[in-house]
Amino acid sequence: MIDCRMVLAGALIAAATTSASAQHFTAADAAIKNGIAAGIYPGAVLVAGRADTILYARGYGHFTWSTASPTPDPSTTRWDLASLTKILATTSAIAVLVQQHRVDLDAPVAHYLPEFSSGRKSEVTVRMLLNHTSGMPPYAKLWESAHTVAQARATLFLIPLRRAPGSSAEYSDLNAMLAGLIVERVTDQPLEQFSESTVFRPLGMLSTRYRPTASDKTSAAPTGRFHGRPVGGVVNDRNAAVLGGVSGHAGVFSTGVDLARFAQAWLRAASGHGDWLKRNTVAEFLTHSATSGTRVLGWDTPLPAGGPTESLYGRCATTSTYGHTGWTGTEIWIDPGQDLFAVLLTNRSFAPTHPAQSFAELKEVRAKVADDVRATLGLCSM
């Protein structure tokens, strides 16, 4: 099965050049190049397509600001996905376990992780972790006091809630860390191993993994510096690092084409034509709760019409759109209503001297590229 998928995927990638020349994604190209010219990131890749084909795949700029460094490649360049780990590994692994009736979304987290039970933590469910209504704070510097994986996990369990469980949504890395630990307890396997065997390999994502090998690192886009030298292939998250490079919130590296395979699997599943997740499983994970705001299970969705700010997924994003972003400069969005997805990967974290400014600037690029992709296909009036 995997071999057949790989042959098909290779054929689709090979055909992307022909499709691209017919579709003229020139506006999206210009938006991404403008981001490079503005100093937001040195390199990027864009992959866009449908459930059964890739319409466009292209790399831009360079690994670093040196024009002597390689140009990123959609098929071979590995990116530190940062928070895309939450959906590639953790959310998808939980979805598989729910489908196998091994995890109950409405069971208390304490049922799987007895260490997480003090105070009102006993009211927190698996669903609340995934839609960020658990009441956990957004972040904690585990690495400041923990020096081993065991110490970091023990510290995580002791962090108190800061809101009533289920009352409102607040995005939190800690939720995904806990969800990843649930996967490990239920399966008696490391998250790294279970996600590879039930998500990455079944979907033909053979360049996707935690903890890149030495050879992988040569094709990794740098996301930071060490003593002034570009560093790629090393997780750019201090909590993930103290957790051994494998966590539910960060740590996965992948390519643009592998993420395209992932998006296509979700599109096929939503239409009932996949052989990985079932349609009802996907529907469950894409359902909002009364208090989750834009959050569904693992994923985010566009802000409602009339919201305070523009959606990350562009002004033409439909109500069926869902996606996620990563701190290093990564993004994926999927729209089953229009049978469309787009992957935009950058190494924003390598470039800026002012991260807050680059966040705002990258948000504008993301929205513009999303609208340009839709407009190219006649799905958005510019």
Side-chain angles (χ1 to χ4, degrees), residues 191-271:
L191 177 62
E192 176 180 25
Q193 180 179 333
F194 187 77
S195 57
E196 180 177 354
S197 64
T198 63
V199 183
F200 306 156
R201 283 198 168 275
L203 301 188
M205 300 167 62
L206 302 186
S207 295
T208 303
R209 62 180 57 88
Y210 284 99
R211 296 191 287 202
T213 65
S215 61
D216 293 341
K217 292 178 182 180
T218 62
S219 63
T223 54
R225 295 176 176 85
F226 184 71
H227 295 311
R229 297 178 65 85
V231 175
V234 177
V235 64
N236 195 327
D237 183 286
R238 297 181 78 172
N239 279 337
V242 79
L243 286 163
V246 179
S247 179
H249 78 292
V252 169
F253 288 74
S254 189
T255 67
V257 168
D258 267 16
L259 287 178
R261 294 183 178 113
F262 178 76
Q264 289 174 323
W266 278 82
L267 282 172
R268 290 193 297 269
S271 67

Side-chain angles (χ1 to χ4, degrees), residues 56-235:
Y56 196 54
R58 182 174 178 181
Y60 307 82
H62 299 274
F63 274 29
T64 72
W65 296 112
S66 169
T67 56
S69 65
T71 294
D73 182 275
S75 299
T76 61
T77 301
R78 287 181 169 85
W79 304 82
D80 181 346
L81 297 185
S83 286
L84 294 197
T85 298
K86 294 180 173 73
I87 47 113
L88 252 75
T90 311
T91 297
S92 296
I94 293 282
V96 169
L97 291 172
V98 168
Q99 188 163 277
Q100 294 174 348
H101 305 291
R102 299 170 70 186
V103 166
D104 181 349
L105 289 170
D106 295 310
V109 172
H111 175 72
Y112 305 103
L113 303 173
E115 305 94 323
F116 187 82
S117 59
S118 62
R120 298 193 67 177
K121 288 181 180 177
S122 59
E123 301 172 32
V124 177
T125 65
V126 178
R127 187 184 301 275
M128 292 176 190
L129 292 182
L130 295 176
N131 66 17
H132 296 282
T133 62
S134 69
M136 290 292 284
Y139 183 73
K141 297 179 180 179
L142 305 182
W143 46 270
E144 283 192 337
S145 59
H147 304 289
T148 67
V149 173
Q151 290 173 352
R153 292 182 174 188
T155 302
L156 172 64
F157 290 133
L158 294 176
I159 296 171
L161 302 182
R162 74 178 203 176
R163 303 182 320 284
S167 61
S168 61
E170 184 176 22
Y171 181 75
S172 171
D173 279 357
L174 310 184
N175 289 329
M177 293 180 196
L178 291 164
L181 293 179
I182 289 174
V183 173
E184 295 193 344
R185 291 289 176 88
V186 170
T187 65
D188 197 29
Q189 296 179 45
L191 177 62
E192 176 180 25
Q193 180 179 333
F194 187 77
S195 57
E196 180 177 354
S197 64
T198 63
V199 183
F200 306 156
R201 283 198 168 275
L203 301 188
M205 300 167 62
L206 302 186
S207 295
T208 303
R209 62 180 57 88
Y210 284 99
R211 296 191 287 202
T213 65
S215 61
D216 293 341
K217 292 178 182 180
T218 62
S219 63
T223 54
R225 295 176 176 85
F226 184 71
H227 295 311
R229 297 178 65 85
V231 175
V234 177
V235 64

Side-chain angles (χ1 to χ4, degrees), residues 20 23-33 56 58 60 372 376:
Q23 296 290 352
H24 299 299
F25 284 79
T26 52
D29 286 344
I32 296 170
K33 290 176 182 177
Y56 196 54
R58 182 174 178 181
Y60 307 82
D372 289 340
T376 296

